[in-house]
Amino acid sequence: MSYPYQITSLEQYHIDYKKSVDDPESFWGDVAGNFLWKKKWDSVLNWNFTEPKIEWFKGGKLNITENCIDRHLATMADKPAFIWEPNNPEERVRTVTYARLHKRVCQFAQVLKNNGVKKGDRVCIYMGMVPELAYAVLGCARIGAVHSVIFGGFSAQSIADRLDDAGAEFIVTCDGAYRGEKVIPLKNVIDDALIGNKTIKKVIVYTRTRTPVSMIKGRDVWWEDEMEYAEGQIEKDGVVSFPAEEMNAEDPLFILYTSGSTGKPKGVVHTVAGYMIWTAYTFVNVFQYKPGQVHFCTADIGWITGHSYIVYGPLAAGATSLIFEGIPTWPDAGRFWDVVDKHQVNILYTAPTAIRSLMGFGLDPLKGKDLSSLKILGTVGEPINEEAWHWYNEHIGKKKCPIVDTWWQTETAGVLISNLAGITPAKASWATLPMPGVQPILVDENGNEVTEKDEHGLLKGNLCIKAPWPGILRTTYGDHERCRTNYFASYPNLYFTGDGALKNEEGFYRITGRVDDVLNVSGHRIGTAEVENAINMHAGVVESAVVGYPHDIKGQGIYAFVIYNGHHGDENMRRKDILQTVTRVIGAIAKPDKIQFVTGLPKTRSGKIMRRILRKIAEGETENLGDISTLLEPGVVEEIKNGKV
Ligand code: WT7
């Protein structure tokens, strides 16, 4: 069985691609016709990239949770929507059927209502990977509240900044979260984030780890108590109901913060209809999902990958999605393969950094693991090197599973460039062809389309997209001008991705990495300016410059050059203090891998740090540093080279 909007052959891909470009309105109108609308749209697409203004399915009314849940109840009430694999393999697995998911989401929507949450209010969610995180997200969507999930690795300070930027009044959290043998005290972090906060009205706390928490009277309530009370309100004579708010197609669904080239993360806003259609369409086509299959996306729901390919995309397609609470290396490095075996996973979607790290454990962890259920493999988050691609293909897919290399971003909601599993050709370390509706273009610094091929017959340039697809971001929360300058001002009438790419004669794209000051560390996006700001907050630090360097497992490591003027402790002590500061300000994910103390930084006469030189030094290049004649003090380069750590 296939979905009406599923591409089932290479010929059909080409036909659909052409149609999506020639007549996007009728193409996407047809796709949208497969979803549940409370009122049909008046127009499929209005747009310009100058403001930018992008509206899909204007006039249409719907609720995404009816599409993700209610719509499936007639035929799939007893089918699993989620399978939850706990951190500890000894603990009981939970299977959440569509009927159960419906009940829990209705119940939690009622809890939100009882606690004063209204349509349009912002709700921050800071939880571990438990099914309740999905209920919280979907409960918000049910009543039209805007969720903003914050990854559990972010610090109190980062949370406070995001709460403030989003004007959030409500938080849903856990007492703690399990990560391998560690317990992360999430509610404590929230408490730190709330010191001095005057806008948060309610904090709903789900009990997961029995970590002691402080519950503040009038503000903090227990998830379990609230759910129990709500149960009596939503269930009458065994029938569960909670009205799904009628949302405009272009109402915001969620905010998700992501790093850019400035010091402050931006709140990417996605809207209801376009996001739903893009995640469902790409899920079904990229992974060639067949009803009944078990889809395992290893990302955290705190990132866009989890939003789109654990929760919304799979549910919109009536799929079974596996939520894994743990980490790939606990109790041992065979955990992913145990999960695949135990749950007979059909589709495995993970990050190259995870593959590289597991490769490092050799083949022993694979012994005795039945991986024969696997049909399709996927990667996301960073370029995959050929070695990792081949290992994944041989040892996990046993050369029988197509690998999809999916390129996309928080801003794009779902996959933009990828092969379609088993339908369009794959090529190791190439993302290959654009999805229908996606029109990539490679431009030079001046915005002119690149037409000169290099010696390998490849075009090379900055990757832009010419026209909107349904999942494109609509704005950055509270600051539309920032959205314009970040994405739409570099090149007129183009969306600029921030990535560089190559294009071959077959029209395949290979993503080469960011061309802006954004790092990709283990698939996590971190701005160099953000890390510098954090380092600079440390007493004794005068100035710092942060660059990325190639790292065998993480893809990129963080290298910090620091001018230090304090007299406290020795170099190693200072390093530890700086790491502690970064952990406090951003979170452990942003800790530099290397810190080099320097007496000066290479600057131009106008005071601009020449990162190009620092990047080369961090990469281990000492000879060809390029032109350094414009430097204010060329001498510092020699000193930095000699002190490399
Ligand atoms: C950046 C977006 C996409 C969800 C996870 C990350 C890099 C992503 C690939 C890929 C090469 C990739 C890009 C992009 N990236 N996928 N298949 N090949 N690079 O989302 O945090 O918004 O980061 O990740 O540089 O711009 P994100």
Side-chain angles (χ1 to χ4, degrees), residues 305 380-383 405-410 499 514 520 525:
T305 310
V380 60
E382 47 173 326
D405 178 352
T406 65
W407 172 82
W408 56 293
Q409 312 178 294
T410 303
D499 280 316
R514 304 287 306 195
N520 191 329
R525 190 160 147 187

Side-chain angles (χ1 to χ4, degrees), residues 29-243:
D30 286 351
V31 173
N34 295 291
F35 293 81
L36 192 65
W37 297 83
K38 289 173 188 278
K39 178 182 168 289
K40 205 186 159 186
W41 56 90
D42 301 320
S43 58
V44 173
L45 174 62
N46 309 300
W47 69 286
N48 71 67
F49 274 175
T50 39
E51 293 177 54
K53 184 179 95 171
I54 301 146
E55 295 171 336
W56 283 94
F57 310 106
K58 188 82 178 159
K61 289 184 189 292
L62 74 163
N63 187 289
I64 195 168
T65 69
E66 285 187 327
N67 280 276
C68 287
I69 310 170
D70 305 50
R71 182 163 72 109
H72 307 312
L73 291 177
T75 53
M76 296 199 301
D78 298 328
K79 295 274 182 323
F82 291 122
I83 297 170
W84 178 70
E85 169 71 18
N87 178 62
N88 185 338
E90 316 271 292
E91 200 185 328
R92 188 175 58 89
V93 164
R94 285 160 65 185
T95 300
V96 184
T97 63
Y98 273 94
R100 177 53 57 105
L101 178 63
H102 177 248
K103 176 166 173 180
R104 291 290 179 248
V105 170
C106 286
Q107 227 173 322
F108 192 68
Q110 181 71 53
V111 167
L112 290 170
K113 188 175 169 190
N114 293 347
N115 280 280
V117 182
K118 294 181 304 296
K119 177 176 181 172
D121 288 349
R122 274 80 57 219
V123 178
C124 158
I125 302 176
Y126 187 68
M127 299 172 85
M129 287 283 284
V130 286
E132 285 70 18
L133 167 52
Y135 308 159
V137 162
L138 293 161
C140 288
R142 187 85 173 174
I143 67 167
V146 178
H147 56 77
S148 181
V149 184
I150 301 178
F151 174 63
F154 281 111
S155 70
Q157 182 62 53
S158 296
I159 296 169
D161 292 345
R162 284 159 171 77
L163 291 174
D164 182 48
D165 188 84
E169 291 174 329
F170 305 92
I171 296 176
V172 189
T173 188
C174 297
D175 53 352
Y178 292 117
R179 265 187 77 75
E181 49 197 7
K182 285 198 225 138
V183 176
I184 319 289
L186 297 181
K187 173 62 164 65
N188 281 348
V189 181
I190 289 291
D191 289 340
D192 286 347
L194 292 186
I195 293 171
N197 178 292
K198 295 206 168 49
T199 49
I200 293 295
K201 294 179 178 154
K202 282 283 160 75
V203 181
I204 302 172
V205 185
Y206 173 71
T207 315
R208 172 64 186 130
T209 55
R210 304 300 285 129
T211 304
V213 294
S214 112
M215 296 290 283
I216 301 299
K217 197 180 292 164
R219 187 192 74 184
D220 300 352
V221 297
W222 293 107
W223 170 290
E224 294 76 12
D225 296 346
E226 298 294 308
M227 286 292 267
E228 194 183 317
Y229 184 76
E231 189 168 20
Q233 297 172 283
I234 57 136
E235 190 163 9
K236 301 260 148 60
D237 306 320
V239 179
V240 171
S241 74
F242 183 92

